[in-house]
Amino acid sequence: GKILPIPEFSRLSKRAAQALSSLALPSLQEPAHLVIDSTGLKVFGEKEWLQTKHGKQYVRKVWRKLHIGVEAGGYIVARVLTDHHTDDRACVEAILEQSNSSYITEMLADGGYDSHKIYEELEKKKINPVIPPPNQAVINNAANPSKRDQAVKYIQEKSYWAWYSKNNVGRRNRVENTFYRIKTIFGRKLHSRTIPNQDVESQFLC
């Protein structure tokens, strides 16, 4: 029965751009694997907003990419929001840092994250990479094979599905399920207009 004051929209909008230290995502507290991936979220650009407001069709589409890291229980432990031009691999380091990389034993991702640099970074952190190399991948150093070389060799000798089964790659479905839940509950677009507010909104969703 209490009457609570409701802050005006402009005040909420300004506060949304501030750092939300009290709403930090939970980081890993014990050894576990991490699954990472990204998805697109629709937003209105200024041109789209004006054209839609006046009943005109717009041509240009603006997207943001939400990159997340999910632990074994399905909880989101890391999040990065970028524009749709940003390469997925550029966000791996930030996701690892947010997740508390010292506890990550394995990192699972799709082929879009495959690169020598990513494998090297993970090996330095003593994280086992579970990333499928492309079909045309070759072994670079047979005498002293890297983790990537070992994966390429195993696939060449025993097939991709043998490698898939050996590494239990099916665990990667958790991140797909997480994106499905986010879009089912909150929709497929961000409602904020500015990039700082969109970043905070994506933090709210996660």
Side-chain angles (χ1 to χ4, degrees):
K2 292 185 179 293
I3 299 175
L4 300 177
I6 301 174
E8 61 199 274
F9 177 79
S10 60
R11 185 181 300 172
L12 288 174
S13 182
K14 290 175 182 177
R15 289 184 177 181
Q18 298 175 0
L20 300 175
S21 57
S22 62
L23 294 177
L25 295 170
S27 59
L28 296 176
Q29 300 298 323
E30 58 184 26
H33 68 269
L34 185 74
V35 189
I36 68 172
D37 204 353
S38 68
T39 191
L41 295 173
K42 184 72 178 68
V43 297
F44 274 111
E46 188 65 27
K47 183 178 178 181
E48 291 178 323
W49 181 267
L50 293 173
Q51 289 178 338
T52 303
K53 181 179 178 181
H54 296 290
K56 298 179 181 179
Q57 280 296 113
Y58 54 80
V59 178
R60 181 174 61 89
K61 292 185 177 181
V62 179
W63 295 84
R64 297 287 178 260
K65 288 175 76 173
L66 177 61
H67 311 257
I68 65 172
V70 178
E71 51 88 67
Y75 291 101
I76 301 174
V77 295
R79 168 214 62 95
V80 177
L81 188 74
T82 66
D83 60 37
H84 62 283
H85 297 295
T86 302
D87 187 83
D88 291 345
R89 291 170 289 192
C91 300
V92 171
E93 185 174 351
I95 290 176
L96 293 178
E97 288 180 2
Q98 288 184 39
S99 307
N100 195 352
S101 61
S102 60
Y103 286 110
I104 302 174
T105 56
E106 287 184 305
M107 191 194 85
L108 289 80
D110 62 28
Y113 291 87
D114 173 74
S115 76
H116 293 286
K117 183 179 179 181
I118 295 296
Y119 269 87
E120 289 170 2
E121 288 179 358
L122 293 175
E123 287 190 61
K124 287 179 183 177
K125 296 178 183 292
K126 297 182 180 179
I127 299 172
N128 181 43
V130 183
I131 306 170
N135 295 332
Q136 67 275 18
V138 296
I139 298 173
N140 287 335
N141 190 342
N144 186 23
S146 63
K147 290 281 187 180
R148 187 174 186 274
D149 288 336
Q150 293 173 22
V152 172
K153 182 179 180 182
Y154 194 91
I155 292 172
Q156 289 177 347
E157 293 178 350
K158 299 189 177 182
S159 82
Y160 166 79
W161 291 109
W163 175 85
Y164 183 101
S165 177
K166 175 190 175 185
N167 291 282
N168 193 13
V169 181
R171 292 175 293 173
R172 206 177 65 79
N173 292 337
R174 286 193 180 91
V175 74
E176 301 293 344
N177 293 338
T178 301
F179 283 137
Y180 175 78
R181 293 202 307 272
I182 288 175
K183 293 183 178 181
T184 299
I185 297 170
F186 302 107
R188 297 176 176 270
K189 71 177 182 179
L190 297 170
H191 298 278
S192 303
R193 296 286 305 282
T194 65
I195 292 178
N197 285 9
Q198 289 167 0
D199 186 61
V200 172
E201 184 180 344
S202 70
Q203 178 85 347
F204 281 146
L205 303 186
C206 292

